[in-house]
Amino acid sequence: MARDQIDTQPIESRDELVAWLDAGCKPAPRFRIGTEHEKFPFTLNGHKPVPYEGPNGIRALLEGMQALNGWEPIMEGEAIIGLADTIGGGAISLEPGGQFELSGAPLISVHETCAEVNGHLEQVRQVATPLGFGFLGLGMSPKWTLGETPVMPKGRYRIMANYMPKVGTHGLDMMFRTCTVQVNLDFASEADMVKKLRVGVALQPVATALFANSPFTEGKPNGFLSFRSEIWRDTDNERAGMLPFAFEDGMSFERYVDYALDVPMYFIKRGDHYIDVAGSSFRDLMARKHPALPGEGPTVSDWANHLSTIFPEVRLKRYLEMRGADAGSWKNLCALPALWTGLYYDTTSLDAAWDLAKGWTAEQRQKLRDDVPSLGLKAEIAGRSMLDVARDVVAIARAGLARRDMRDSQGRDETRFLKPLEESLALGTTPAERLLDRYSGAWGGSVEPVFVEDAY
């Protein structure tokens, strides 16, 4: 997340929390696509992680990017921690271990969002290459230990890093050693939100399998195709997972609010200061009984920031965030928004996607989510292989993009961005399996070539 929400308007009731989510509804012509992707910076000499400070560090990269694109610096104290495009709406931010993230602007088409990604990567290379480092798109850093991974100077991350080991075994791995690509998409009404949330949660393991790209840890195969996804299974289960309540009768904004109110808080921010309240209750803050701020109630900022610290497979804010995919190649960065745009932004495809998944039970959905990190396209649900299900899902998305008929300057529609997924399905393998083949073959049991062959 590039920048914490700033809105000091007091919240007086639970109904206001519901209304805040409901305000995200918008008519279909105003639907937009926002793509976010993270990548690992590494030194070209030695393939080491890049520190924040120093003449060739992350800070220097951010300062160089700011000089190049003129975006507004995001500061925390004396430290520059990101950049914001105050006109277009995009932003650059740092994840805890130095992962460099583009939070894309809300754009109309996949053509635009892919052009944005391409332009960003060109700018990053222009600044980073003279500094002596490059970038790698994988779901998990393939080489470095936690101890070798740098820590970025962000207050919220210090609080999270202290809390994570208390609630799971992989929280620090998630924070410091994983990267994702996700897309944020809109809904028209509460009913539309519910349907999209259900489709997104049910089919998120399909995206995990298609984009599985994290088979290495500390220089060796880790036994998984998407270890990033496996990490989320034991990071903090009070704020992650498959949201089984979303499939129950009566699902609504109100029901999600009740869920979010019961997710423990990480922090409360007042001015530039983060107050560590990890594990405490937002309900206590609502009741003006929070021990950190006795007599004080929440603001809109508190609510928005709290929602940003909930990590289910699909996250509801004033839009829906698809969170299941590993970071990957440039082509896969564009394939992810194409997949979900094709499913969500065409009513026929959305109906078809729901028809595909609506018969699955909560137990089947959970088992699929548990199996996919290790089995990928070989996982099964309701007697069908993930490979067959994924073929259906990509075909539904392709039909949706074709019906959208959004053309670029060369007359091409958005279906072209699905080609990397269709190529994987034709091979019947995930990106991770192809990496493992190279590791055991041409790479001679070393991960070092990935920094050359798969760098942006």
Side-chain angles (χ1 to χ4, degrees):
M1 184 176 179
R3 176 177 271 169
D4 290 318
Q5 180 89 16
I6 301 174
D7 188 335
T8 58
Q9 178 181 340
I11 290 175
E12 304 294 343
S13 70
R14 175 173 165 275
D15 288 347
E16 292 177 46
L17 304 179
V18 176
W20 190 89
L21 289 175
D22 184 72
C25 297
K26 60 188 62 172
R30 290 179 51 205
F31 284 179
R32 295 293 183 266
I33 303 163
T35 303
E36 303 182 21
H37 84 271
E38 302 160 359
K39 49 206 170 290
F40 296 106
F42 65 90
T43 63
L44 296 174
N45 181 16
H47 304 155
K48 298 176 182 178
V50 178
Y52 178 79
E53 296 289 0
N56 300 94
I58 297 294
R59 180 173 191 143
L61 173 65
L62 283 170
E63 291 171 344
M65 291 288 290
Q66 198 275 330
L68 183 64
N69 62 25
W71 288 10
E72 178 182 295
I74 302 171
M75 307 297 294
E76 185 161 328
E78 298 298 315
I80 181 172
I81 58 169
L83 300 169
D85 178 2
T86 57
I87 298 173
I92 291 168
S93 62
L94 300 179
E95 291 298 301
Q99 305 97 313
F100 205 69
E101 178 179 6
L102 172 68
S103 297
L107 300 169
I108 293 174
S109 72
V110 185
H111 305 296
E112 291 180 356
T113 199
C114 197
E116 176 191 52
V117 168
N118 192 39
H120 167 76
L121 293 178
E122 289 177 358
Q123 284 190 343
V124 166
R125 283 193 295 267
Q126 185 176 339
V127 177
T129 301
L131 295 174
F133 54 92
F135 290 88
L136 184 65
L138 291 181
M140 184 171 187
S141 58
K143 180 180 176 181
W144 313 313
T145 65
L146 272 172
E148 292 170 325
T149 304
V151 178
M152 296 299 104
K154 297 181 70 170
R156 64 187 284 157
Y157 294 157
R158 286 191 291 272
I159 293 169
M160 290 172 64
N162 181 60
Y163 182 69
M164 284 295 187
K166 302 173 183 177
V167 291
T169 62
H170 283 310
L172 298 182
D173 288 322
M174 179 279 291
M175 291 180 64
F176 293 99
R177 299 203 288 181
T178 65
C179 281
T180 186
V181 54
Q182 69 179 52
V183 63
N184 305 325
L185 297 166
D186 291 314
F187 44 80
S189 63
E190 183 172 68
D192 189 42
M193 178 279 293
V194 171
K195 190 169 192 176
K196 286 174 176 172
L197 180 63
R198 289 171 173 170
V199 166
V201 172
L203 298 183
Q204 207 62 216
V206 178
T208 301
L210 285 168
F211 291 85
N213 197 35
S214 46
F216 305 122
T217 304
E218 297 177 16
K220 301 292 183 182
N222 52 39
F224 294 89
L225 302 177
S226 176
F227 192 48
R228 185 203 62 83
S229 182
E230 177 66 16
I231 281 168
W232 275 112
R233 294 183 62 233
D234 192 15
T235 288
D236 182 350
N237 289 331
E238 287 193 277
R239 68 183 71 245
M242 291 288 283
L243 300 180
F245 68 86
F247 296 84
E248 297 171 359
D249 291 343
M251 177 57 191
S252 61
F253 290 125
E254 187 174 12
R255 181 67 184 84
Y256 194 87
V257 165
D258 287 338
Y259 157 73
L261 284 171
D262 288 327
V263 174
M265 300 175 72
Y266 281 149
F267 63 85
I268 299 170
K269 190 177 183 184
R270 289 295 178 265
D272 293 329
H273 179 58
Y274 288 89
I275 303 170
D276 186 345
V277 297
S280 69
S281 168
F282 201 96
R283 292 185 186 274
D284 286 346
L285 187 61
M286 286 288 293
R288 299 180 179 271
K289 295 179 180 178
H290 198 287
L293 295 169
E296 186 175 330
T299 66
V300 170
S301 294
D302 295 329
W303 179 237
N305 290 336
H306 178 56
L307 290 180
S308 77
T309 67
I310 300 173
F311 307 123
E313 294 293 292
V314 179
R315 179 160 62 190
L316 173 62
K317 295 200 282 193
R318 283 177 160 173
Y319 44 83
L320 290 165
E321 300 180 350
M322 307 295 107
R323 297 175 46 81
D326 288 359
S329 66
W330 177 86
K331 289 182 179 179
N332 272 18
L333 295 182
C334 299
L336 191 278
L339 175 69
W340 290 109
T341 298
L343 296 175
Y344 271 18
Y345 282 0
D346 174 79
T347 55
T348 301
S349 284
L350 183 60
D351 288 343
W354 179 232
D355 285 342
L356 179 67
K358 67 183 180 183
W360 300 344
T361 66
E363 292 75 20
Q364 288 173 323
R365 291 192 300 269
Q366 186 61 52
K367 186 176 187 303
L368 183 67
R369 191 265 173 269
D370 292 342
D371 289 347
V372 158
S374 57
L375 297 178
L377 294 169
K378 297 180 178 65
E380 295 184 354
I381 186 167
R384 299 190 69 202
S385 73
M386 173 59 81
L387 181 60
D388 285 341
V389 172
R391 284 172 175 155
D392 286 349
V393 169
V394 173
I396 291 168
R398 168 173 278 275
L401 294 176
R403 280 187 291 268
R404 266 171 58 86
D405 198 28
M406 302 280 267
R407 303 277 172 161
D408 66 6
S409 60
Q410 300 178 55
R412 300 173 296 183
D413 69 16
E414 296 165 312
T415 60
R416 67 191 181 97
F417 296 111
L418 293 175
K419 288 182 180 178
L421 305 184
E422 293 166 339
E423 290 169 359
S424 284
L425 292 171
L427 293 170
T429 60
T430 63
E433 288 166 296
R434 298 193 289 277
L435 284 174
L436 289 166
D437 285 345
R438 290 150 72 191
Y439 172 86
S440 60
W443 292 357
S446 170
V447 299
E448 296 296 334
V450 78
F451 293 94
V452 178
E453 296 181 18
D454 292 77
Y456 290 129

